[in-house]
Amino acid sequence: MSFTPNPTAGTASGAGRCESLVEIEPVSDGAGLRIGIVLSRFNREIGEGLLSGCCQELRRLGVGEAVLATVPGALEIPLTLKTMAESGRFDALIALGCIIRGETYHFEIVANESARGITEVQLATGLPVANAILTTENDDQALVRMHQKGVEAAQVAIEMAHLLARLR
């Protein structure tokens, strides 16, 4: 594939782009998409806030119905996501939960391993997973972020479902 350099590259209107560039525009229409959600019951109040924001945004973007599975904690989320991904019933998945730093190293283990597991599910199955597992220093940080993070997870799931479908 060859391309002709864009003479406006580096300017505000053509910053670094080339003339032959075909951009896949983001799509935020959730109509017809099948969305699966996995919610950790640990830190329940935060999880419910994440879920509320997520469901409001899914409805706003046109998703008719989503399937919710709840699990005890963040470390159980990746296996549940993998099972859902392998079922072939979903176009995208969403992981919701909250890990709040405590006084031990356990926070790092749970945060790192749940994130690693979620990434592995996406790469192994090819199904997009929006990771909305909050990792915060305290309850107050989580409370401030929970609704918006849930909203963003819905947006990411829908956009990525459309992007991957178009790339296939």
Side-chain angles (χ1 to χ4, degrees), residues 14 16 30 34-35 49 55-56 65 68 70 74 76 80 88 91 114 129 136 139-140 149 154 164 167:
R34 302 164 301 157
I35 306 295
C55 288
Q56 286 174 15
E65 182 178 271
L68 173 66
T70 66
E76 290 74 39
T80 308
D91 299 303
S114 62
V129 180
T136 64
D139 291 344
D140 290 337
K149 190 68 169 178
L164 294 182
L167 290 173

Side-chain angles (χ1 to χ4, degrees), residues 30 33-37 58 63 65-68 84 89-94 157-158 161:
L33 291 181
R34 302 164 301 157
I35 306 295
I37 302 169
L58 288 173
V63 173
E65 182 178 271
V67 174
L68 173 66
M84 292 173 88
R89 295 176 43 211
F90 302 98
D91 299 303
L93 301 173
I94 299 171
I158 290 169

Side-chain angles (χ1 to χ4, degrees), residues 102-155:
E103 296 179 10
T104 68
Y105 186 68
H106 187 68
F107 170 86
E108 282 82 5
I109 292 170
V110 175
N112 292 338
E113 291 303 307
S114 62
R116 181 190 58 76
I118 290 168
T119 299
E120 284 184 7
V121 168
Q122 291 186 94
L123 296 175
T125 66
L127 196 71
V129 180
N131 182 353
I133 298 179
L134 289 173
T135 52
T136 64
E137 296 293 325
N138 54 52
D139 291 344
D140 290 337
Q141 287 180 350
L143 288 166
V144 168
R145 291 167 174 78
M146 65 185 183
H147 183 82
Q148 184 60 35
K149 190 68 169 178
V151 168
E152 292 167 0
Q155 294 167 347

Side-chain angles (χ1 to χ4, degrees), residues 13-34:
S13 63
R17 298 198 179 225
C18 57
E19 289 178 20
S20 64
L21 182 66
V22 177
E23 183 173 353
I24 300 171
E25 295 293 329
V27 176
S28 60
D29 180 7
L33 291 181
R34 302 164 301 157

